[in-house]
Amino acid sequence: MKVLFLNGPNLNLLGTREPEIYGRLTLADIEKQVRTRAGELKVEVDFRQSNIEGDLVGWIQEAKGKFQAIVINAAAYTHTSVAIHDAISAVGVPTIEIHLSNVHAREEFRHKSLIASVCRGQICGFGVKSYILGLEACVYVTE
Ligand code: DQA
């Protein structure tokens, strides 16, 4: 099985960005932990980040036929992007929404996810473990 991990805007700043909310791990540290677990699960992983909404839309479109599942931390685009919602809906690849922080316990504008309705489920609030649980959810939804 191949899983595509997509990371949205500002996640390239993890490690120094508001560590009290997002922790001190960099995105590279998170990728390393994901790859370790993926190896145990015999899952192949592609791990990408972009600050550009169109890149994320393009990668979702290209995932069809190449990846069995997508794990997406759309970051701020979670709360704004009809385009990412539509791309997930259009390709039909099972997609898991994840967040490091518990978005429901934060500012009200983070309580609404525009992509949740087209995702198989949402995992938030567990830091790097949200990524690991997202990977495990992919195994679950595809078996
Ligand atoms: C985030 C939560 C979003 O609200 C925020 O815009 C992010 C990160 C998280 O992983 O907790 O950039 O997706």
Side-chain angles (χ1 to χ4, degrees):
M1 174 168 72
K2 285 177 80 170
V3 173
L4 177 61
F5 274 78
L6 296 181
N7 293 281
N10 301 308
L11 294 174
N12 55 314
L13 300 179
L14 287 176
T16 56
R17 176 191 181 199
E18 298 176 277
E20 64 288 356
I21 298 174
Y22 299 115
R24 295 213 174 265
L25 295 181
T26 65
L27 195 58
D29 295 331
I30 292 174
E31 176 176 356
K32 208 169 158 196
Q33 292 201 27
V34 166
R35 289 195 180 282
T36 299
R37 183 69 184 124
E40 291 164 4
L41 294 169
K42 311 241 179 306
V43 172
E44 209 179 305
V45 161
D46 199 328
F47 199 93
R48 303 178 195 173
Q49 188 274 333
S50 178
N51 294 325
I52 299 166
E53 188 177 15
D55 285 348
L56 298 164
V57 169
W59 288 335
I60 293 165
Q61 290 181 5
E62 290 164 15
K64 197 175 172 66
K66 294 193 193 131
F67 294 92
Q68 282 63 57
I70 298 171
V71 178
I72 186 166
N73 183 351
Y77 291 141
T78 305
H79 317 297
T80 63
S81 181
V82 175
I84 293 176
H85 166 284
D86 287 355
I88 294 169
S89 184
V91 302
V93 176
T95 299
I96 315 294
E97 174 184 353
I98 63 161
H99 302 282
L100 293 156
S101 65
N102 179 357
V103 286
H104 302 291
R106 299 182 61 196
E107 302 97 319
E108 201 168 338
F109 67 85
R110 295 185 206 276
H111 297 182
K112 177 76 189 161
S113 165
L114 293 194
I115 68 170
S117 63
V118 288
C119 289
R120 289 295 300 270
Q122 183 193 60
I123 298 162
C124 69
F126 302 105
V128 64
K129 294 282 188 231
S130 292
Y131 281 75
I132 304 298
L133 291 167
L135 176 66
E136 292 173 354
C138 289
V139 175
Y140 172 68
V141 301
T142 57
E143 70 190 6

